[in-house]
Amino acid sequence: MDLLNNIFEHYPDEGYVSVDGFNDAIIGVSSTGRLVYSIGKIIEILVSRNNWTHKDATDYFFYSIEDTYHGDKAPVFINLIND
């Protein structure tokens, strides 16, 4: 079971807004009940799926994904900082 289905199973009434095609980039749920996505994982998916450069995928993320979602239940996009 992917993480999104697990989240829906445990919190069925939250009314999450998800980003189609990027379930593998979900890393959790915020304290305000919003899905949390890894920006790096989204970019990796875009590079892999579309055979894009990292720059093209990054530009696409910031202009076509991040700027698209607004509202109280909009997803949260974060950069994971590795040690």
Side-chain angles (χ1 to χ4, degrees), residues 2 12 20 32 39 41 44 49 58 61 71-72 76 82-83:
D2 69 11
D20 291 337
T32 59
I39 294 171
K41 289 182 180 185
E44 287 176 15
R49 184 184 304 155
T58 300
F61 166 75
D72 293 341
V76 175
N82 295 327
D83 294 340

Side-chain angles (χ1 to χ4, degrees), residues 22-39:
F22 294 95
N23 290 0
D24 290 340
I26 296 171
I27 57 172
V29 178
S30 75
S31 62
T32 59
R34 296 161 51 181
L35 292 175
V36 178
Y37 287 82
S38 163
I39 294 171

Side-chain angles (χ1 to χ4, degrees), residues 50-77:
N50 301 305
N51 198 29
W52 288 351
T53 66
H54 188 270
K55 182 185 181 330
D56 288 341
T58 300
D59 289 346
Y60 183 86
F61 166 75
F62 284 109
Y63 296 111
S64 298
I65 295 176
E66 184 181 49
D67 284 345
T68 301
Y69 293 90
H70 303 284
D72 293 341
K73 291 294 184 171
V76 175
F77 302 102

